[in-house]
């Protein structure tokens, strides 16, 4: 079984390569430069591709989209040490086949790779409930109810994080600027903030947006 492992941390890929290759019949190719990955998948057939979520120059979601343009049947697993839930919808839309945590045991990692190679989706139980959700519920502070973010508000937050103007956001989301302004007002009230900068900061604190820059 041929596996491609992409992560910008050399120590991580080398350690993970040793873990996987201790399993008979598994061979791992490692790459730390995201720009070289598309050529790799075009030149060689991989049964499973493991991608880190946060990498310099290109995140795992965008890299997945690019790889699927070249190899539509590629099987991609996000292999990350970060919480996946806040980005679940985004990652599913990008075409990933599943997720495996870097904290997983060797047995869990091997099993996830074998399942993915059989075209079986790898989704943690905690994320299954979001498969058909139109809302994201983010845990609140102890003693307080969680904050419910709708799918539309989640999309709005992503566009805000890209630094787009209201005019550009309204075009992207295909809504009127007035509807956008209403949406912003409601979002500000829900997160108890007064500005774009504050709403992005609050969303990162709640785990709705990544603390690292997931967007260019």
């Amino acid at each position: 079984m041929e596996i491609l492992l992409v992560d910008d941390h050399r120590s991580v890929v080398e350690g993970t390569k040793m873990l996987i290759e201790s399993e008979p019949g598994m061979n791992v190719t490692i790459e730390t430069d995201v720009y070289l990955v598309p050529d790799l998948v075009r030149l060689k057939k991989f049964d499973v591709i493991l991608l880190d979520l946060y990498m310099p120059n290109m995140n795992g979601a965008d890299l997945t989209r690019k790889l699927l343009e070249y190899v539509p049947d590629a099987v991609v697993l996000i292999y990350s040490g970060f919480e996946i839930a806040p980005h679940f919808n985004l990652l599913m839309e990008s075409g990933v086949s599943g997720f495996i945590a870097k904290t997983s045991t060797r047995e869990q990692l091997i099993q996830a790779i074998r399942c993915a190679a059989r075209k079986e989706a790898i989704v943690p139980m905690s994320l299954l409930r979001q498969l058909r959700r139109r809302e994201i519920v983010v845990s609140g502070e102890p003693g307080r109810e969680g904050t419910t973010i709708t799918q539309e508000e989640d999309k709005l937050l992503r566009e805000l994080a890209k630094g787009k103007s209201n005019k550009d956001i309204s075009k992207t989301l295909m809504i009127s600027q007035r509807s956008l302004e209403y949406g912003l007002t409601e979002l500000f009230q829900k997160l108890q903030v007064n500005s774009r900068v504050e709403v992005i900061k609050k969303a990162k604190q709640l785990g709705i947006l990544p603390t690292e820059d997931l967007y260019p």
Side-chain angles (χ1 to χ4, degrees):
M1 186 181 296
E2 293 292 336
I3 299 146
L4 175 61
L5 175 60
V6 182
D7 194 308
D8 60 300
H9 294 97
R10 174 63 63 173
S11 60
V12 172
V13 290
E14 291 180 347
T16 305
K17 175 181 171 71
M18 290 179 61
L19 282 177
I20 297 174
E21 290 188 338
S22 65
E23 183 74 7
M26 290 193 174
N27 181 61
V28 178
T29 299
I30 62 177
E31 183 52 66
T32 58
D33 187 339
V34 293
Y35 292 125
L36 299 180
V37 178
D39 286 336
L40 270 177
V41 300
R42 281 182 291 188
L43 295 172
K44 183 175 180 179
K45 169 66 176 177
F46 292 100
D47 298 289
V48 177
I49 300 171
L50 297 176
L51 300 182
D52 189 19
L53 178 57
Y54 297 112
M55 295 180 287
N57 305 313
M58 192 180 304
N59 62 71
D62 288 339
L63 183 54
T64 297
R65 290 191 186 91
K66 186 172 289 293
L67 296 184
L68 291 176
E69 290 177 5
Y70 298 121
V71 186
D73 62 346
V75 176
V76 179
L77 294 181
I78 294 297
Y79 183 54
S80 177
F82 288 89
E83 176 63 36
I84 293 296
H87 322 303
F88 181 70
N89 292 340
L90 173 68
L91 289 167
M92 292 304 294
E93 290 167 7
S94 73
V96 302
S97 300
F99 315 91
I100 182 71
K102 289 183 178 178
T103 54
S104 299
T105 64
R106 173 189 173 278
E107 290 71 23
Q108 290 173 325
L109 178 58
I110 297 299
Q111 185 63 25
I113 292 172
R114 291 194 181 283
C115 289
R118 294 195 299 265
K119 308 296 184 182
E120 297 174 1
I122 311 300
V123 182
M125 290 288 289
S126 60
L127 294 180
L128 280 177
R129 71 191 68 176
Q130 288 200 45
L131 279 173
R132 295 183 61 81
R133 294 187 70 147
R134 294 186 60 81
E135 298 179 339
I136 299 173
V137 179
V138 183
S139 299
E141 298 175 2
R144 294 180 60 184
E145 293 185 1
T147 300
T148 301
I149 300 297
T150 67
Q151 189 176 54
E152 289 71 23
E153 289 170 337
D154 181 45
K155 292 178 180 178
L156 176 54
L157 277 169
R158 293 185 206 171
E159 297 304 313
L160 289 173
K162 295 176 184 177
K164 290 186 175 182
S165 66
N166 282 9
K167 184 177 180 180
D168 289 337
I169 293 175
S170 64
K171 287 182 179 179
T172 300
L173 300 182
M174 293 183 288
I175 58 177
S176 69
Q177 289 198 52
R178 174 161 292 186
S179 294
L180 174 61
E181 290 169 1
Y182 286 143
L184 282 172
T185 298
E186 187 170 342
L187 188 58
F188 286 3
Q189 291 176 346
K190 184 174 292 186
L191 297 185
Q192 298 180 339
V193 297
N194 299 306
S195 69
R196 283 172 168 244
V197 173
E198 289 180 6
V199 78
I200 293 172
K201 181 179 179 181
K202 186 68 173 288
K204 288 181 177 181
Q205 290 174 346
L206 292 172
I208 305 169
L209 288 174
T211 53
E212 294 187 30
D213 189 9
L214 187 62
Y215 304 100

